[in-house]
């Protein structure tokens, strides 16, 4: 397991459409070690998720994990999840505006996400999963899967005036966002 360098906006690999993984390939040392590197790199960076293109590998694999993270005190926990070839299907038209950051982008901004989502994927053992995720957890899935299509938060920000560095966000917008999103999480239960 190796902590890899996280690619930053401007690196062409972040703009490619990532290639699917052949299910027969999941058990190979190459794919397993890629998954280990993704998990290690995400944890080292204190991220909630990481997609393979962010460490320079254009394959359809994402990892997510939210524990008690001081960086995201409002985020419901997500157990360590490895998703190979994930597919997202919105369940309805309900949306929420979430202020998101990204390890590959030095700015945060407000992004509109689906609240209720069906997710289908293979785990690191090749076992198929078909689940429903909601709220901020659904937002995290959409953020990570966007990376597999070469999409970054700056493409999704409707009002570019919401863009802020982490420092300025903490200084000027964080309290209001945490209050609003905590109410949303309590209402949505996720
Ligand atoms: Zn990201």
């Amino acid at each position: 397991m190796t902590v890899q360098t996280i690619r930053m906006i401007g690196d062409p690999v972040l703009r490619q459409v990532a290639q699917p993984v052949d299910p027969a390939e999941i058990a190979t040392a190459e794919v397993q070690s890629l998954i280990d590197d993704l998990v290690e790199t995400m944890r080292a960076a204190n991220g909630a998720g990481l997609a393979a293109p962010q460490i320079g590998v254009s394959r359809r694999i994402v990892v997510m994990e939210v524990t008690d993270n001081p960086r995201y005190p409002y985020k419901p926990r997500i157990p360590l999840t490895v998703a190979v070839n994930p597919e997202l299907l919105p369940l309805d038209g309900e949306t929420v505006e979430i202020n998101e950051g990204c390890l590959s982008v030095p700015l945060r901004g407000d992004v509109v996400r689906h609240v209720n989502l069906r997710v289908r994927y293979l785990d690191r053992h090749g076992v198929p999963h078909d689940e429903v995720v909601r709220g901020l957890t659904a937002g995290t899935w959409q953020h990570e899967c966007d990376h597999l299509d070469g999409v970054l938060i700056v493409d999704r920000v409707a009002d570019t005036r919401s863009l802020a560095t982490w420092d300025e966000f903490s200084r000027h917008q964080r309290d209001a966002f945490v209050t609003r999103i905590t109410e949303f999480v309590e209402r949505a239960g996720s």
Side-chain angles (χ1 to χ4, degrees), residues 149-170:
D149 293 325
V151 174
L152 298 172
I153 51 171
V154 289
D155 310 321
R156 295 270 188 208
V157 168
D159 182 355
T160 50
R161 290 171 300 178
S162 73
L163 290 168
T165 64
W166 280 79
D167 280 352
E168 298 302 336
F169 172 76
S170 298

Side-chain angles (χ1 to χ4, degrees), residues 49 54 101-104 143-144 147 152-153:
Q54 292 181 278
C102 176
L103 294 172
S104 297
H143 178 113
E144 297 313 326
H147 280 297
L152 298 172
I153 51 171

Side-chain angles (χ1 to χ4, degrees), residues 9-72:
I9 184 170
D11 188 319
V13 73
L14 293 173
R15 293 311 199 168
Q16 291 172 13
V17 175
Q19 293 300 308
V21 179
D22 182 339
E25 211 191 327
I26 296 174
T28 61
E30 186 201 342
V31 171
Q32 291 295 315
S33 108
L34 168 59
I35 290 168
D36 288 338
D37 288 357
L38 279 168
V39 172
E40 281 304 290
T41 307
M42 169 181 68
R43 286 176 172 166
N46 264 318
L50 195 67
Q54 292 181 278
I55 59 168
V57 181
S58 194
R59 306 301 300 277
R60 302 189 82 80
I61 303 176
V62 302
V63 300
M64 286 160 280
E65 183 179 49
V66 177
T67 52
D68 287 329
N69 191 332
R71 193 165 161 176
Y72 317 104

